[in-house]
Structure formats: structure tokens, C-alpha cells
Amino acid sequence: MLLGTGQMFRNSAPPVVYGTLNPSDKATNITLSNGNLTATDTATAAWISVRSQTSHSSGKWYWEWTLGSKGAGEGCCGFGNSSSPLQGGANAFFGTDSNGIGLISNGQVWKNFTPTSVLAAINNGDTCSLAIDIGAQLFWCRKGAGNWNGSGAADPATASGGIALPSGLASGAIFAGISVLNNTDFSTANFGASAFSQTPPSGFTAWG
């Protein structure tokens, strides 16, 4: 019911507001476009990163990453805290230390600067799903509709086959994010404002 000029509908639910990549929390040489959902490397030949506006410290969350172009390098997506590196040195990507975990386009998951081969290579135009259960401290990823973490036994809905998060993500705010490597490389995040290419696992919510 409309209560009066300038007043809200009493029984209307507020609209869901989805965050983007954060223009105030990124490496200098990353340019954001597409409503701040696409990150492009404009000038470097080293890893640089950007974090999301939205963060979470509990719950089960899902988002999707589309690799636009990795050129002669690689792309990366993942999760990190406020101390995960954004620039400086050659290794400012999610998973370079204990403050983050990242999926690289070569199919490896990195944490503590240690890789584990999980998926097949991710190519330009591919979309990957990411799921994180902060309470259980577990991470999953998959390419397209493939197996989570490259295993038919892995399933975020049942907390099966997850990759343990690094120590830096044990408490406090966790951000989603993208890392790019070479000049003109770009990737895009979908935090839920657009239709997902895959159905989120049961019990998981769009990152927002």
C-alpha cells in the first residue's frame, strides 16, 4: 500500500543490491569497465589484482568468473582478505601467500604460493564457478558444468572434496577478486546481478 507522497510501500521488499569490483581497492594499472565488473591490465607484465566491494566473514557464497583474454599469460580469480597483495613484485595474485586462494587459468589452485592441479586449462571465453564455505573453511571451483575441483566426489552442497582455505582466511572479512597478468588481459566477475551460467550449489547464495 502506498502511504503517501515520497513514502515507501509498506509491504515491499527492498531491492537486492549487488556489489562490483572495487575501484578504490585495486592495483593502479587495472582499469574497470562494464559497470566495474570487468578488470583489464593496462600497462604491466606482472600480476596485479582487484578486490570486490562486498565482503563476507561467514556463510556459503557463489560467483562466476569469465576469462576474457589471457594473451600470452594467465588469468586468476579467487578470494582474499584485506592483506592479499594487489600490486608490487611479480606475484600479486590470489594465492600468492596465506591471505588468499586463487584459481589460475592453467587449471591450478594456488594458496601459500603452492599450486595444485585441479581443472583442465581455462581458455578465453570460458566461465568458471567458485564456491566458498567460510564456516567449513573450504573452497571449490569448476569449469563450465564440469566436476567441482576436478572430482566426481566433490560437491559444495555436501561439503565434500573441498580445498582447505589458507590460514589468513580463517577469520575476518573475505573478498572475491580477479588478478590479471599481461597488458590488455581482462576478466569479468558475475556476483549475481546477471543470470549465472550454472546453478549455484544447494545452500549457497550469490556473492552479492
Side-chain angles (χ1 to χ4, degrees), residues 9-190:
F9 286 92
R10 184 184 297 275
N11 296 321
S12 296
V16 177
V17 177
Y18 293 95
T20 66
L21 298 171
N22 192 340
S24 299
D25 195 15
K26 67 178 184 67
T28 303
N29 289 324
I30 284 181
T31 295
L32 300 181
S33 59
N34 183 32
N36 288 340
L37 291 173
T38 297
T40 301
D41 185 337
T42 60
T44 64
W47 284 108
I48 50 177
S49 299
V50 54
R51 284 185 281 260
S52 60
Q53 290 179 321
T54 303
S55 66
H56 300 287
S57 57
S58 62
K60 301 177 182 181
W61 304 99
Y62 175 91
W63 67 283
E64 293 181 349
W65 168 65
T66 298
L67 179 63
S69 173
K70 61 180 179 178
E74 300 288 352
C76 173
C77 60
F79 299 93
N81 60 25
S82 60
S83 296
S84 62
L86 298 180
Q87 61 189 23
N91 298 310
F93 64 90
F94 292 97
T96 192
D97 58 18
S98 64
N99 294 303
I101 187 167
L103 168 65
I104 308 295
S105 57
N106 62 7
Q108 295 176 337
V109 170
W110 283 68
K111 63 176 184 176
N112 299 314
F113 203 58
T114 301
T116 301
S117 293
V118 173
L119 304 180
I122 300 154
N123 300 309
N124 295 346
D126 287 341
T127 295
C128 294
S129 303
L130 291 89
I132 187 171
D133 184 336
I134 298 175
Q137 288 284 287
L138 294 173
F139 167 84
W140 296 263
C141 58
R142 67 175 179 173
K143 175 182 173 179
N147 289 328
W148 289 103
N149 290 346
S151 169
D155 185 356
T158 59
S160 303
I163 298 171
L165 299 181
S167 60
L169 303 186
S171 62
I174 296 175
F175 300 82
I178 285 174
S179 305
V180 285
L181 179 55
N182 284 325
N183 187 20
T184 73
D185 289 356
F186 68 96
S187 291
T188 298
N190 182 1

